Amino acid sequence: MTAADFALALVRGVQLAAVLSLFGTLLATIALLPAARAGAPPAAAAALTCRLARLRLISLLLAVLSAAAWLLLQAADMAGGGAAAAFGAAPTVLLATRFGHALLLRLVLLGLAAGLAKARHGAVPALLAGAVALAAQSWMGHPAAAEDRPLLATAVLHVLAAGAWLGGLLPLLLTVRALPGIGAARAAERFSWIGGSAVLVLAATAFWQGWTLIGDEGGLFGTPYGQVALLKLAGFAALLMLAAVNRFRLTPALRGAGAAAAERHLLTSIAVETAVGLVVVLAAGWLATLTPAAHAQARWPFPLRPNMALLADADVRRAFIEAALLLAVAGGCLGRAALFRRHRWLALAAAAALAYTADQVVEAAPFLDPMLIAASPASYYRSPTGFTAAAIAEGATLFAAHCAVCHGAEGRGDGPAAAALPVRPANLTQEHVWGHSDGELFWWITDGYQERRQGRVMPGFAEVLSEDERWAVIDFLHAHLAGIAVAEGGGWRHPVAAPALAALCGDGRALDLEELRGRFVRIIAARPGDEPPPPSAVATIRLLQVPGETPDCVASGSDVWMAYATVAGVAPAALAGTQFLVDPAGWLRLSLPPARAAAWADEAALAAVTRDLAAHPLTAAAAVHHHH
């Protein structure tokens, strides 16, 4: 991380903390202050009102200053220059970008909220203005950039819940300190309900955002985004523990005999909770400057990784769910034992019994493979090529030049050099290849393959092939293996993505398969001089080996011809007349050899085929690793 990146992350975090504080103070003015000052000495209540007003002003000033710094840093980043470039680009960034519009809206609403808060009946309108200003955070980060409405909605709820809880900690601290005794008890009890509701919303929305922006355990542990998210998660867990102590131990004690001691402990606990909350907010600002884990290559840091393929078995999946629920209840029992002395040993015994039961449930599951398997740094890498026809064609050339000498021209492990090797090269046409992720294949091509007894039996190609070339070889291996399945069994045993292609239509339009997502697409390998197919409800693209002018949509060139011949399991010379049907998700579902072309010539017959395929979509669990 550069100094500029660090400064940007810090300013974003400070800006968020200031807006959270202002929103939390406005909410506390409505939700905590009336209950706390009821029956309190007028002088103490008036002093507290002044302190909360001062906190609003400080939060507003900090928000304005950090917004100015954020704008300049963002302008410098976009302009790619220093201070002079930042000042020159700042007006454009503010007035002509979505980030600038959201920041400007936030500043206007914060000023409006601060002004309304001084009016006699302006508390509620001020709170609403502050809520919209806080929600604008979601338009300045990853949710808005992703144009994902559910993600944007959860981000708005997440930041509002954070404002209600974390933003309300300083006002609560001021209230408990200013109005000891019954006022502090009332404020703490009221805040417990606000904080408890906020925690539920934060947990639910954090899970959704993590699922969308992190994806899997590889993204969580193997990317900077995931590692900062872990820091944030650890802070959230600490906040939960402090909040639980405040809610179930210290707040009830404020009405008991030891109220004075409980008040001192509560003040200390709230101060610590505020400090931890600030760290969490700064981590959130840092996260917003990083590439989401779901869009980055995850470098796995451990020698082992969980074998997620086990979850494909329904019995194993059910066992893990049951065990997780039992452990969650056991955790609740442990928390209860930590907070309350009454029946503590009974709660501890219940937690131990539940944990033992969870272990027995997992042990009884029919595991055929280990729960942890060997991993490499690239285990969670994903192919960045998009499985294009050009990459498949390049991979075929590279495979023939660098791999066929050992693995053979067909990849069956029978190349000219195979007989002299101590260990026979892998047969790359067998079913087991589908079980290896993109990352595992990439690592073996990069670093070589180690056999337990023989040592390194395959050299690495990191110095010979570029990263893009290694990924192209993997694309070819997947396409070739798909073609072997068609040649031997008449169809694809595993989901295979349609090789990406670019087509040019007779009316001048350019399109690709990505633009046709959501529709069935028929791809026809045409012979020179073939008449275009009649108009159909199914989008149609013709493949031509040699470019030519046609009135329909055509993808031409040797690369696309070779790629589709590979996935069809035929030689390029035999591809003409073959048809493919691609489903709305981009998967190759059916191929039709030239001898059976009449089966799809009738529009009604083709419609019946697409209806059947639509009724039996491929599940996400069945997807091969290289498709996105």
Side-chain angles (χ1 to χ4, degrees):
M1 173 181 282
T2 65
D5 292 335
F6 176 78
L8 183 59
L10 180 62
V11 166
R12 287 188 73 132
V14 171
Q15 200 343 258
L16 177 57
V19 182
L20 289 171
S21 176
L22 181 58
F23 174 76
T25 306
L26 292 169
L27 180 61
T29 302
I30 295 175
L32 301 184
L33 191 57
R37 66 184 180 185
L48 175 59
T49 302
C50 290
R51 288 172 185 166
L52 291 178
R54 191 178 302 118
L55 179 58
R56 287 198 305 269
L57 179 60
I58 293 172
S59 300
L60 177 62
L61 291 175
L62 189 58
V64 171
L65 292 174
S66 58
W70 187 2
L71 176 62
L72 290 174
L73 288 170
Q74 196 72 47
D77 182 64
M78 292 180 176
F87 280 102
T92 302
V93 173
L94 185 64
L95 300 175
T97 67
R98 178 166 50 191
F99 160 76
H101 295 161
L103 187 62
L104 186 59
L105 174 65
R106 164 175 282 181
L107 291 175
V108 171
L109 288 171
L110 288 177
L112 180 63
L116 288 171
K118 298 178 181 179
R120 184 171 183 179
H121 300 292
V124 173
L127 180 63
L128 294 176
V132 178
L134 182 55
Q137 185 76 20
S138 304
W139 280 274
M140 295 183 281
H142 299 308
E147 298 183 354
D148 183 328
R149 289 186 178 180
L151 181 62
L152 186 61
T154 56
V156 170
L157 291 175
H158 188 81
V159 75
L160 289 176
W165 179 21
L166 302 182
L169 289 174
L170 272 179
L172 177 63
L173 183 66
L174 293 176
T175 302
V176 173
R177 181 177 292 172
L179 303 176
I182 192 65
R186 288 172 177 170
E189 289 165 354
R190 184 72 62 89
F191 187 80
S192 294
W193 287 104
I194 297 172
S197 302
V199 164
L200 294 177
V201 175
L202 282 169
T205 54
F207 176 81
W208 184 269
Q209 291 180 71
W211 183 273
T212 305
L213 297 175
I214 296 176
D216 57 20
E217 67 279 5
L220 184 62
F221 291 99
T223 65
Y225 187 95
Q227 291 157 6
V228 175
L230 283 173
L231 172 64
K232 185 181 174 185
L233 182 62
F236 182 70
L239 287 171
L240 280 181
M241 289 188 288
L242 289 167
V245 171
N246 295 347
R247 169 67 178 86
F248 296 107
R249 290 292 299 273
L250 301 179
T251 297
L254 292 175
R255 293 181 179 273
E263 186 179 309
R264 289 195 303 272
H265 293 315
L266 181 61
L267 286 170
T268 302
S269 181
I270 295 173
V272 173
E273 190 176 353
T274 303
V276 176
L278 179 59
V279 172
V280 171
V281 172
L282 292 177
W286 189 4
L287 274 180
T289 66
L290 298 173
T291 301
H295 304 145
Q297 295 286 32
R299 189 170 180 84
W300 186 249
F302 308 117
L304 298 173
R305 66 179 178 89
N307 185 8
M308 303 305 290
L310 291 173
L311 298 180
D313 185 285
D315 292 331
V316 173
R317 187 166 60 250
R318 188 180 306 110
F320 273 114
I321 293 173
E322 291 177 5
L325 292 174
L326 289 168
L327 290 175
V329 177
C333 291
L334 287 176
R336 196 241 179 250
L339 291 170
F340 303 104
R341 293 182 179 179
R342 189 178 182 184
H343 305 310
R344 175 172 292 172
W345 291 108
L346 181 61
L348 289 173
L354 289 166
Y356 176 78
T357 304
D359 178 68
Q360 294 303 300
V361 167
V362 173
E363 288 289 336
F367 289 105
L368 301 179
D369 295 303
M371 293 175 61
L372 295 175
I373 55 178
S376 72
S379 288
Y380 288 88
Y381 278 17
R382 298 181 295 268
S383 174
T385 65
F387 200 56
T388 62
I392 294 170
E394 181 186 13
T397 301
L398 294 169
F399 184 89
H402 299 282
C403 311
V405 64
C406 294
H407 290 283
E410 292 294 316
R412 300 183 185 276
D414 55 357
L421 297 176
V423 176
R424 180 183 174 90
N427 184 340
L428 300 177
T429 68
Q430 291 183 335
E431 191 77 8
H432 70 86
V433 178
W434 290 116
H436 299 299
S437 69
D438 283 359
E440 288 172 328
L441 296 174
F442 181 83
W443 184 253
W444 291 332
I445 296 173
T446 299
D447 195 58
Y449 187 79
Q450 298 268 2
E451 208 273 341
R452 185 173 299 176
R453 295 182 179 178
Q454 298 292 334
R456 189 179 298 274
V457 296
M458 171 182 157
F461 289 84
E463 302 298 325
V464 180
L465 302 176
S466 68
E467 283 196 20
D468 289 343
E469 289 174 332
R470 281 170 266 162
W471 286 119
V473 170
I474 292 170
D475 279 350
F476 167 71
L477 290 177
H478 283 134
H480 180 60
L481 188 58
I484 293 291
V486 175
E488 294 180 350
W492 298 290
R493 290 188 291 270
H494 296 268
V496 179
L501 52 78
L504 184 64
C505 301
D507 58 4
R509 289 183 301 118
L511 58 81
D512 56 34
L513 287 180
E514 191 66 30
E515 295 176 60
L516 295 173
R517 284 291 181 95
R519 300 177 59 186
F520 279 97
V521 181
R522 180 169 58 163
I523 297 175
I524 303 173
R527 301 177 179 87
D530 281 356
E531 289 294 324
S536 168
V538 177
T540 301
I541 294 176
R542 286 201 301 156
L543 305 182
L544 288 178
Q545 199 165 10
V546 179
E549 293 186 6
T550 61
D552 56 341
C553 295
V554 171
S556 59
S558 58
D559 285 354
V560 69
W561 191 268
M562 182 270 173
Y564 275 85
T566 303
V567 296
V570 299
L575 180 65
T578 305
Q579 299 186 44
F580 303 86
L581 198 58
V582 183
D583 72 11
W587 301 112
L588 285 171
R589 297 300 298 272
L590 294 174
S591 67
L592 198 68
R596 296 182 53 214
W600 291 352
D602 180 66
E603 182 70 18
L606 184 58
V609 172
T610 57
R611 283 196 301 271
D612 182 63
L613 293 178
H616 302 88
L618 294 178
T619 62
V624 293
H625 298 284
H626 64 276
H627 180 68
H628 303 287

